[in-house]
Amino acid sequence: MPSRTGESPWVMEIIKKYHDIAKANGAIIIPEIGIESAPSDLLAWSLVSLIRERLSVGTKEVITSFHELNSAPSGGTLLTALGILDHYSLKDVAKATVPWAMSPVPGPKSVQSVPLMSRLLGVRSVSDLGTLTTSITAGPNEAIVYRSWGLFNRGDFYGRNFRYNEYMRVRNAFIGVALHFAIAFGLVALVIPPVRWLLKKLVTAPGQGPSREAADKESIELRSVATADQDGPNPRRAFARVRWEGGGYYLTGVFLAEAAIVILRDDTTAKKLGGGLLTPAMLGQPFIDRLRKAGLKFETQLLSH
């Protein structure tokens, strides 16, 4: 049963409550398989698979950026985001989005992959991705990718030193720093109930959103770079890109429909595991192949030194 929800505290709650029950009954439940986490999870899996197949090593780090996001949220999406803190504490939200919070096995205790200044100012420059800054979707997406890490052979397939970080692309470092602190202050403000109440009055009403004509002009593109876990100063790198021309909600519909077909018809890791609360990556290459046929552009390549 694929689902498009992106509320991390609720996802972690149902994983704890229902994963073992679903597995015992052979049920496959994938709670974040819409635009919220599926592109990030599939990009990470495809790069890890390419490096494992071509270089026979694990992956040290995958960095993903929202290269282009020309899409407007609906009123329902905005109200859901604003309502999370009405049902969960700030501690619950923070706990659900830390690395490996949803992983079935503990994560490795390796060195932090993000430079200190990047952690402080939110800006990071990455070859082949450009200047990056904090992304508001990073926490939920990172949690799902790390769950995939743990579900695939208890972390051995991705690699014991694996790290995943997600950002959004900006024109320059100044804009990146400004957005980083704007997001930080905005999240702090949302803790205050009157602020949430006021914003709920101002956002688009549920059921309202972009028109069909406006949605047809939308586009979404994510890019990822992976570094192989190799010794030496110049480990091999790989690049992946996913792009959709059209509305984000139509893309979520494509993800849901194609995932359902894959679950019913194709041989996947999800079936081999016997079910449970799983992730988009568990549907693997058959899922990516069907998404391509439905119009999603998905590219991966091993970069030269």
Side-chain angles (χ1 to χ4, degrees):
M1 181 183 72
S3 167
R4 47 75 53 206
T5 186
E7 292 76 53
S8 295
W10 182 77
V11 172
M12 190 161 77
E13 182 181 344
I14 65 169
I15 287 172
K16 292 180 178 179
K17 286 183 177 180
Y18 301 116
H19 173 75
D20 292 337
I21 296 172
K23 189 168 185 177
N25 288 277
I28 296 173
I29 302 174
I30 305 177
E32 291 200 39
I33 199 161
I35 190 176
E36 284 82 3
S37 294
S40 302
D41 198 33
L42 292 173
L43 281 167
W45 176 84
S46 67
L47 287 169
V48 167
S49 299
L50 178 65
I51 288 173
R52 181 65 69 180
E53 177 186 351
R54 298 280 296 275
L55 304 177
S56 300
V57 297
T59 299
K60 188 173 184 179
E61 184 180 24
V62 173
I63 302 172
T64 294
S65 76
F66 267 91
H67 185 79
E68 181 180 321
L69 183 57
N70 176 27
S71 180
S74 69
T77 297
L78 293 172
L79 278 180
T80 298
L82 291 171
I84 290 177
L85 288 174
D86 293 335
H87 303 283
Y88 295 95
S89 69
L90 184 62
K91 182 179 179 181
D92 291 333
V93 174
K95 187 185 297 183
T97 55
V98 298
W100 295 289
M102 299 183 192
S103 173
V105 295
K109 297 178 180 179
S110 56
V111 178
Q112 172 62 250
S113 63
V114 181
L116 176 61
M117 290 304 294
S118 294
R119 298 202 300 273
L120 293 175
L121 300 178
V123 175
R124 186 174 183 182
S125 180
V126 178
S127 179
D128 297 302
L129 295 182
T131 303
L132 312 177
T133 193
T134 302
S135 170
I136 198 169
T137 63
N141 293 345
E142 288 171 2
I144 292 298
V145 171
Y146 282 124
R147 179 161 179 79
S148 294
W149 171 88
L151 288 169
F152 277 97
N153 200 22
R154 300 180 64 83
D156 288 339
F157 179 69
Y158 279 53
R160 301 306 303 177
N161 297 318
F162 178 77
R163 279 288 191 275
Y164 179 82
N165 293 289
E166 185 164 308
Y167 306 91
M168 64 178 174
R169 184 178 69 94
V170 289
R171 289 199 300 268
N172 55 59
F174 176 80
I175 294 174
V177 172
L179 281 174
H180 169 71
F181 285 105
I183 290 171
F185 286 123
L187 292 175
V188 171
L190 288 178
V191 177
I192 305 170
V195 173
R196 296 200 302 274
W197 176 85
L198 178 61
L199 289 174
K200 289 176 185 178
K201 298 295 183 181
L202 297 176
V203 299
T204 307
Q208 301 298 313
S211 65
R212 178 62 183 266
E213 292 74 19
D216 287 342
K217 298 177 182 178
E218 293 181 348
S219 58
I220 301 165
E221 181 171 331
L222 287 82
R223 296 183 179 185
S224 296
V225 169
T227 303
D229 193 4
Q230 296 175 316
D231 295 329
N234 296 305
R236 294 295 300 273
R237 300 166 71 246
F239 174 84
R241 179 179 81 110
V242 60
R243 182 174 180 84
W244 174 257
E245 300 281 354
Y249 292 99
Y250 295 104
L251 176 57
T252 287
V254 169
F255 277 127
L256 291 169
E258 298 299 340
I261 295 172
V262 171
I263 290 171
L264 289 171
R265 297 182 181 178
D266 295 314
D267 184 24
T268 63
T269 302
K271 285 186 178 179
K272 292 175 183 176
L273 288 177
L277 270 292
L278 306 178
T279 62
M282 312 306 291
L283 301 182
Q285 195 60 45
F287 189 31
I288 293 174
D289 291 341
R290 289 187 180 276
L291 291 171
R292 282 172 171 158
K293 291 178 181 179
L296 185 71
K297 297 178 182 178
F298 202 113
E299 306 168 2
T300 56
Q301 61 176 306
L302 196 63
L303 299 175
S304 57
H305 282 295

